Every structure is written in C-alpha cells, then in structure tokens.
Amino acid sequence: MKNKEYDIAVIGSGFSGSLMALGLDKLGYRVILIERGSHPRFAVGESSTPIADMILRDIADRYDLDWLHHFSRYGSWQKHHPGITCGRKRGFSYYRHHPGESFRTDERHARELLVAASTDDQQSDTNWYRSELDAFLVSKVQEAGIDYVDQTTITSLDRTDGFWKMKAYYQKKLKTYSSNWIIDATGNGSLLWQLGVRSSDEHFKTHSSAVYSHFTDVKPWQSWLDDHGISSRDYPYDPDWSALHHLLDEGWLWMLRFNNGITSAGLVLDGNQESRWSGNKEMIWQEVVGRYPSLTELFEEAAYAEQPGSLTATQRLQRRADRIFGEGWVALPHTAGFVDPLHSTGIAHTLSGVERLLYAFENRSLGSASRNEYLFSYEKAVFNELHFIDLLVDGCYKARGNFELFSTYAMLYFMAAVCYEKKRISGSFDIEAHGFLSANHPQLPTLIRECHRELEQLVSASDLTGKMVRSFRQKVQKAIEPYNTVGLLDPATPHMYEHTAADI
Ligand SMILES: Cc1cc2nc3c(=O)[nH]c(=O)nc-3n(C[C@H](O)[C@H](O)[C@H](O)COP(=O)(O)OP(=O)(O)OC[C@H]3O[C@@H](n4cnc5c(N)ncnc54)[C@H](O)[C@@H]3O)c2cc1C
C-alpha cells in the first residue's frame, strides 16, 4: 500500500469518512481511508432525524449502496441488521424540571413537549450505537476493496506539484501516503490545525459544554411517570424511545436509549449563565443530577457501561474553522464546526456535507477553478448553516426558564426541519443550491432572526408576564403560518404533536 498514489485520502473513519470513501469509490476514484484509532470504538452523537434518514436514502440510491437504505428506518434496520445495535427514536421529548422538586405537570402538559417525527415504530428514526454502526461501515469499506489503515497518525503534510505527501506512523513505523485530495472527516478538526487553519468559538451565541457517558440500568422515564401517577394517556409515543431532553436550570440532560440496555446520557451546561462549572466531572454530574429528585431516581441503579467506562467532559462545544477548503483539501461539516446537541442537528448536517462533497466529485473532468467555485459556495453554506442552527439553539437555551416560551421558540426548529423535508420530497431539491435545514430559505432565516431578537428582549425583561409570553406565542404562530403544514402551536393539541415530519 505504501507506494500507491491515491486520488483522494479520506482522513477519519466515523460514519462520514466511511460513507465518503464508499461514495468516492463508486465514482471510480482511488481512495484510501486513514483512521487514527481503531474500531470498534466509543463515539458520541447518536440521535438521527427524518432529514438524516432522507439523506441516507438518497446517498444509497445515487451511489448504488442499496444496503445503506436499511439504516434509514428502525423497521428495516431491525429486519436486516438486528446484530447492529440501535434504538427507536419516535421523536423529540422535552420535560422541564425544577431544582429540589419532583417532576410534575398538568393535564394541559404545562411542562412537557412531545413532537413525534414518525407515525409508527417501523418508520421510526433511530439512535445510532456508533461503535457498532461505524465499525460495520468500515467493514463495508474493506469489503469494497478500498484501502483502509487504522492506528495511523499523520505527522506531516506537504503539498507539491498537486500532490499531498503524508508522513504517518503506524505502530511506531513510518509510512508515507500520497494523494491529490484530502477530505478531512476527523470530526474534531485536528487535521485542520496541521493545515494551518484556526478554529474559534467567537461566531456563536450558544455557549455550552457537556459531561456525558453511556450507562446501564437507567430507569425508564415512562416507568418513573407511571410510578408517580403522571398520565401519559395522550402521548404520541413512549418517551423513552425518543430523544429525551430534560430541561434544567443549569442547561439540559439528554437520554438516548439503545436496544442493548445501554443509555447514552449527557449533561449540557449553559455557559452563558453566571455559574460556570469547574472541577471534577464526577462532582459536576453528581451535583447537577442530585439537584433534581426525579433524575436522581432515574440514575439510582445506573452504572457506567463498559465502553467508555467513565464520564467525558468537554470544553465549550461551539467551534468553527476559519476555512474549510483550500488547494486540494476540504472538510466535512462536523470537522468544520459544531453548535450543540440540542435538537440533534449533527448527524443530519454531517450527512448533508457528505452528500454535497460527493456531488462535488461526481464530475471527474471538472476543472480546478469550477470545483473551487463549488467548494467556495459549500464553505459559505456550511458557515451560514452553523449560524442558523446557533440561532435556533441559543433561543431555546434562553427560553428554557419559561416552558411556554421554550415550547414556542422550539417550534421554529421544527418548522425549519419540515420545510427542508418538504423541499427534499417535492422533487425540486437541488443539492448544489439547497443548504441544510432551510438555512438559505428566502424568508425563514429573517423570520427566525426576528423571533430571536424579540425573545432576547423578552427574557431580559425583569417583569416577564404570562401575557407577554402568550403574545409572543401568537406572533410566532402568525409568522410561521405560511409554512406550518403540520399544526405547530395548534392550541387544540397543547405540546403534544402526533406527527410533524413531512410525509414520505
Ligand atoms: C457532546 C455531543 C453530543 C452530540 N449529540 C448528537 C446527537 O444527539 N445527534 C446528532 O445528530 N449529532 C450529535 N452530535 C454531533 C455528532 O457527534 C457528529 O455529527 C458526528 O459525530 C459526526 O461524525 P463524523 O464521522 O464526521 O465524525 P466523528 O464521529 O467525530 O469521527 C471522526 C473519526 O476520525 C478519527 N480521527 C480524528 N482525528 C483524526 C486524525 N487526525 N487522523 C485520523 N483519524 C482521526 C476519529 O478517531 C473518529 O473515528 C453530538 C456531538 C457532541 C460533541
């Protein structure tokens, strides 16, 4: 392998790197996939969405990867790959907790919001158990005959005469690789630093960090509700089989269940609050979860799963590179930047990058000027999308102290998602022209910016009243009316949405 020259080296074998390699191989490129670690390995970022599933299906069709279809719905995943763990994800659920109080609500669901994304379990989205799914995708890369090297750390990158020369270490042995192009799928942007690219958090309003792990024996939330006599009679699904968000004063806690008894759980802490968290991650976890009696009960019997075996704590999550393409290289969206896990935009955004970059390489005879032009607009689009997601997420953080305000503002995300889904299935979706999540829709970004501005004013008011919140809700309802085909903010179904994703 060491003297072979490649057209494209994909660096990083998360799902994005493997899908990129598989698609490029189908397009006839000579590809190598280089991974620093080895599979199976723990990875966070597990909750997929209807948009992610749509893109997965389209990549499967366009690049003749039929088997990929199976992973786009819970039913087909279970039928064809029961050995690869996943979880059912029927929608997005949000519960507002208050310190020192057991969770409580009322008949009009004053502290709960459930938004179904699918009509039944068969059509459902999934929580990806990344260690198994990513390992499977790498096995498909190898099966396709694509060169794959793991435990390989690139130590230097030089570009001469249109070729990258990479020096890398595999088990203390020096290896060299060369390729025309590098696609950075490292997720964390570590390769970008070697290319001299800077990353910063200065572009973001959202300010959060996370403490997370995989756990066994987390009590199901539905059992907790049943034990405490809280009716779930009109729930559209069992909330344990959804992306469960517990909103807290300090931020929020995610819970994503898998079929193997493991639950991914993570605290996301709001750094825009005065109390910044420092110190030991176990202490932070115990202290925050310990303030909420209902959450404490959920974790009473829980233990860390074997993988990863402990908590991970992050720095501020928000980051964005100042460039995401250059001569002979380009980065995927998660390498380019990240906002926050709230509303699970990560997997879908990453897949939309895979789709757009595969498209960029479809035309093999494209001159470098035209390809650079395409990549320039890709970069602009990804930056714009990160900004768009930031507005949607930051508003939810700001609103979360008042659940009515939160459940109003959160609808802007669902509206943006439904508009994008409808565009995709309308047959008029143009990969080149349409960015991710309606970020370049002619009206929606302005609408969201205005709602965000108004929300900022509301939450900074010292005398936020129920009337002000109701008036904001009415304004949002009116503003989204032209796009609201799924009954968002319908007073007849307070906080319970039976099915919001666009029908496929
Ligand atoms: C705390 C947190 C929670 C999240 N939750 C969600 C969620 O619920 N839903 C959602 O949709 N998204 C979520 N995301 C985002 C999600 O994690 C990403 O979208 C997804 O991981 C991107 O996949 P990827 O394959 O591009 O990168 P990764 O999953 O990061 O994979 C990158 C791969 O590259 C390898 N690598 C790294 N550096 C190098 C190097 N220098 N050389 C070679 N190989 C290298 C790594 O070992 C890894 O295998 C979350 C992110 C975070 C941080």
Side-chain angles (χ1 to χ4, degrees), residues 305-317:
E306 210 176 303
Q307 279 295 332
S310 63
L311 287 168
T312 299
T314 72
Q315 301 287 321
R316 184 174 178 185
L317 289 167

Side-chain angles (χ1 to χ4, degrees), residues 11-16 34-36 41 44-47 130 185-188 190 210 212 254 256 317 334 338 341 344-347 350:
I11 318 294
S13 67
F15 66 86
S16 72
I34 301 177
E35 166 62 43
R36 185 173 62 181
R41 53 95 176 92
V44 75
E46 300 121 328
S47 154
R130 294 278 310 277
T186 58
N188 55 18
S190 58
Y212 60 83
W254 83 70
L256 305 171
L317 289 167
H334 192 61
F338 183 59
S344 309
T345 51
I347 292 179
T350 301

Side-chain angles (χ1 to χ4, degrees), residues 254-267:
W254 83 70
M255 283 175 54
L256 305 171
R257 273 178 197 271
F258 304 108
N259 289 348
N260 60 358
I262 287 175
T263 302
S264 168
L267 275 173

Side-chain angles (χ1 to χ4, degrees), residues 10-18 34-39 41-49 52 89 127 130 134 152-154 184-191 194 210-212 243 252 254 256 268 314 317 319 332-335 338 340-351 354:
V10 179
I11 318 294
S13 67
F15 66 86
S16 72
S18 292
I34 301 177
E35 166 62 43
R36 185 173 62 181
S38 62
H39 290 277
R41 53 95 176 92
F42 171 82
V44 75
E46 300 121 328
S47 154
S48 118
T49 59
K89 188 194 154 195
N127 293 329
R130 294 278 310 277
D134 289 8
T152 299
T153 305
I154 297 166
D184 188 342
T186 58
N188 55 18
S190 58
L191 200 76
Q194 294 181 12
V211 180
Y212 60 83
W252 61 285
W254 83 70
L256 305 171
V268 194
T314 72
L317 289 167
R319 56 179 170 80
L332 280 159
H334 192 61
T335 306
F338 183 59
D340 192 88
L342 193 83
H343 305 320
S344 309
T345 51
I347 292 179
H349 196 200
T350 301
L351 288 173
V354 171

